[in-house]
Amino acid sequence: MNAHGNDSSTRHVFDTAIALTGEDGTALQGQTHPDYGNMVGPFGGVIAATLMNAVMRHPQRLGDPVSQTVHFAAPIADGGFSVQARIMRTNRTTQHWQVELLQQGEVAAFATFVTAVRRETWSALDAAFPEVPPPVSIEPAAPIARAAWTARYEMRFVDGAPLVAHAHTDSSQTRLWIRDTPGRPLDFLSLAAMCDAFYPRIFVRRPKWVPIGTVALTTYFHADAGQLAALGSAPLLGVARALRFGNGFFDQSAEMWSEQGELLATSHQVVYFKE
Amino acid sequence: MNAHGNDSSTRHVFDTAIALTGEDGTALQGQTHPDYGNMVGPFGGVIAATLMNAVMRHPQRLGDPVSQTVHFAAPIADGGFSVQARIMRTNRTTQHWQVELLQQGEVAAFATFVTAVRRETWSALDAAFPEVPPPVSIEPAAPIARAAWTARYEMRFVDGAPLVAHAHTDSSQTRLWIRDTPGRPLDFLSLAAMCDAFYPRIFVRRPKWVPIGTVALTTYFHADAGQLAALGSAPLLGVARALRFGNGFFDQSAEMWSEQGELLATSHQVVYFKE
């Protein structure tokens, strides 16, 4: 067992960080975890996963996540919080959800979900799987000491590492191999968190530190539970880029691929920045 | 005045379609409009705009829309509905919202919003403005008789018209010039609706009719109110493409540009399809 409680007989620190306790159907209790701390408060990806966890453990859940939208409505303080999931509508094969996270009686974050029972249909891939060097050929980047969560991911940057003085800064694109540290079998929860593990694009496009914060994050899940489980703890290829920066906000879009070229999830967010 | 009530002294049919009546802070009343009917129920874009309208007319609104996520939770029947807006959190310059649309006491659609007071900052454009022929050089497409709403938009397809047997079908991309018919000065409401006016990508990628339905739609607004107003009723360039189709769902992403090359909005949705 290492410092982060990872061996075959104990829970992965990610599962501890997203854990919710309490009786089904009532407000559940959660707690921020120092290992997934950010510069201020918790890493947004682990909050996204925690809100999804309220749906995943709900006894009336129908199917698996198809989409998730998270609003980071206010700073979340380190410590405890409560989470309440509400089924907005249940159809034959799809279900719509709203989940709220409260601190001191106020909504600090909330999320909406679509879950669905998926069945095989015609399929096609329109996005192109990027040709990049394999993960083993790239050294993992050093984590950022002030942001504990960065040590919980192994990140091997193909290009677009943040806060580097680039030869050219006309692109906000990053491509990287990423996985949980220590390794953890992939599922919807860890994939939801990983979709928020891209550094804000402004730090790639403009190598200057400014206060930023994700305001809202939407992820679409293309893979099913079996496909994710089959990937184990293998690294995923993440690709992220921004489209437009201006008047205090920018948007960024990301793709998450398996090494075999399956598009597992696509994710979009709008981020506040100062200056 | 024409058949759709458009002259300088009367309300545009779009404004009639998204109108809400009732006292501020209570449940408001709306009504589907036959001019924006779809094959079954109303056009989703006009529902998105109606839900936004509940925020726009709210006396406690702070700033303008930065993001909108709409869940189409169940089929909406032609006729009346009620809409209730709730402020989830108000910060110094941003505000988070949830809005529900009810029919027969059940949630049929709901939306979340971020509004913000925006101020000038550093800006940059990472998306590329597509080089396409000007709108006047392309004939408007004929509307689809079974979908009344298609007659409420002037659509000039550069490429990727739906349900056409293509020489090659390996791309789901559409580029088109689009504006309201009759003309109406652009604002957040009409832009929100227009972001849902792209035909489902499956009909571009695979020229075969199947039942489909948008499940959730997220739009990020990059322009401010002044920028939109300055565009009047000029056509916008819309670009849409899918990333992945499979197991009953696909995602599509869209960009909305002014003729002058300003990126006004980016939009993403996940769509259910049968077979």
Side-chain angles (χ1 to χ4, degrees):
Chain A
M1 185 164 142
N2 66 23
H4 300 288
N6 186 52
D7 71 8
S8 58
S9 67
T10 60
R11 192 151 70 161
H12 192 283
V13 61
F14 179 80
D15 295 289
T16 304
I18 67 166
L20 293 169
T21 57
E23 227 172 291
D24 290 328
T26 67
L28 303 172
Q29 303 304 315
Q31 184 82 24
T32 64
H33 193 293
D35 277 18
Y36 286 92
N38 209 342
M39 270 166 258
V40 180
F43 164 50
V46 96
I47 294 299
T50 304
L51 293 171
M52 179 185 278
N53 203 16
V55 173
M56 297 309 278
R57 56 169 275 170
H58 199 288
Q60 272 123 53
R61 173 169 60 92
L62 180 71
D64 281 329
V66 165
S67 86
Q68 169 177 33
T69 294
V70 187
H71 281 242
F72 299 97
I76 296 171
D78 290 324
F81 52 79
S82 73
V83 172
Q84 178 107 41
R86 172 184 168 208
I87 299 171
M88 300 293 276
R89 186 83 184 223
T90 302
N91 300 303
R92 202 172 49 82
T93 60
T94 63
Q95 197 171 43
H96 293 257
W97 295 82
Q98 204 226 339
V99 184
E100 296 181 15
L101 184 155
L102 282 90
Q103 262 187 340
Q104 321 296 344
E106 282 197 287
V107 176
F110 58 104
T112 61
F113 294 85
V114 177
T115 57
V117 178
R118 303 185 74 157
R119 73 256 169 284
E120 214 181 309
T121 60
W122 174 77
S123 72
L125 179 64
D126 268 27
F129 180 56
E131 277 187 46
V132 298
V136 290
S137 69
I138 304 167
E139 280 298 306
I144 297 172
R146 291 179 301 165
W149 72 271
T150 60
R152 300 276 58 79
Y153 292 98
E154 182 189 280
M155 301 191 194
R156 299 169 189 263
F157 287 92
V158 176
D159 50 24
L163 294 169
V164 172
H166 292 283
H168 58 97
T169 55
D170 60 347
S171 166
S172 63
Q173 183 174 274
T174 290
R175 298 181 297 179
L176 88 167
W177 293 103
I178 184 169
R179 64 172 164 180
D180 286 305
T181 298
R184 178 185 176 280
L186 191 66
D187 58 15
F188 288 107
L189 297 158
S190 61
L191 184 55
M194 247 179 253
C195 282
D196 194 37
F198 297 93
Y199 293 107
R201 298 297 89 198
I202 196 169
F203 297 150
V204 179
R205 187 61 148 78
R206 191 180 64 161
K208 170 188 166 186
W209 188 262
V210 288
I212 61 93
T214 298
V215 176
L217 164 73
T218 290
T219 301
Y220 302 134
F221 299 94
H222 302 291
D224 61 31
Q227 233 181 317
L228 299 182
L231 294 170
S233 60
L236 305 184
L237 178 63
V239 181
R241 65 184 73 86
L243 292 166
R244 160 89 191 149
F245 304 83
N247 292 339
F249 292 88
F250 64 89
D251 65 336
Q252 64 183 58
S253 286
E255 300 160 8
M256 296 297 285
W257 298 86
S258 73
E259 214 173 336
Q260 291 75 38
E262 304 157 289
L263 186 57
L264 307 174
T266 45
S267 186
H268 311 281
Q269 60 178 271
V270 58
V271 185
Y272 160 86
F273 72 98
K274 201 171 173 176
E275 295 167 40
Chain B
M1 183 164 143
N2 65 22
H4 299 288
N6 186 52
D7 72 7
S8 59
S9 67
T10 60
R11 190 151 73 160
H12 191 284
V13 61
F14 179 80
D15 295 290
T16 304
I18 67 166
L20 293 169
T21 57
E23 228 172 289
D24 290 330
T26 67
L28 303 172
Q29 302 305 313
Q31 184 83 23
T32 64
H33 193 293
D35 277 18
Y36 286 92
N38 209 340
M39 271 166 257
V40 179
F43 164 50
V46 95
I47 294 299
T50 304
L51 293 170
M52 180 186 278
N53 202 17
V55 172
M56 297 310 278
R57 57 168 275 171
H58 199 289
Q60 273 123 54
R61 173 169 59 93
L62 180 72
D64 281 329
V66 166
S67 86
Q68 170 177 34
T69 294
V70 188
H71 281 243
F72 299 97
I76 296 171
D78 291 324
F81 52 79
S82 73
V83 173
Q84 178 106 42
R86 172 183 166 207
I87 299 171
M88 300 293 276
R89 187 82 184 223
T90 302
N91 300 306
R92 202 172 49 82
T93 61
T94 63
Q95 197 171 42
H96 293 257
W97 295 82
Q98 203 226 340
V99 184
E100 296 182 16
L101 183 154
L102 281 89
Q103 262 188 339
Q104 320 296 344
E106 281 197 286
V107 176
F110 59 103
T112 60
F113 293 85
V114 176
T115 57
V117 179
R118 303 184 75 158
R119 73 258 170 282
E120 214 180 309
T121 59
W122 173 76
S123 71
L125 179 64
D126 268 28
F129 181 56
E131 278 187 46
V132 298
V136 291
S137 68
I138 304 167
E139 280 299 305
I144 297 172
R146 291 178 301 166
W149 71 270
T150 60
R152 299 276 60 77
Y153 292 98
E154 183 189 279
M155 300 192 195
R156 300 169 189 263
F157 287 92
V158 176
D159 50 24
L163 294 170
V164 172
H166 292 283
H168 58 95
T169 55
D170 60 346
S171 167
S172 62
Q173 183 175 274
T174 290
R175 298 180 298 180
L176 88 168
W177 293 102
I178 184 168
R179 63 171 163 180
D180 286 303
T181 298
R184 177 185 177 281
L186 191 66
D187 59 14
F188 288 107
L189 297 158
S190 62
L191 184 55
M194 245 178 254
C195 283
D196 194 36
F198 296 94
Y199 293 107
R201 298 296 89 197
I202 196 169
F203 296 150
V204 178
R205 187 61 149 76
R206 190 179 65 161
K208 170 188 166 186
W209 188 263
V210 287
I212 61 93
T214 298
V215 175
L217 164 73
T218 289
T219 301
Y220 301 134
F221 299 94
H222 304 291
D224 61 30
Q227 234 181 316
L228 298 182
L231 294 170
S233 60
L236 305 184
L237 178 63
V239 181
R241 65 182 73 84
L243 292 166
R244 160 87 191 151
F245 304 83
N247 293 339
F249 293 88
F250 64 88
D251 65 334
Q252 63 184 58
S253 285
E255 299 159 8
M256 296 297 286
W257 297 87
S258 73
E259 216 172 335
Q260 292 75 37
E262 303 156 290
L263 186 57
L264 307 174
T266 44
S267 187
H268 311 281
Q269 60 179 268
V270 59
V271 184
Y272 160 87
F273 72 99
K274 202 171 171 175
E275 295 167 39

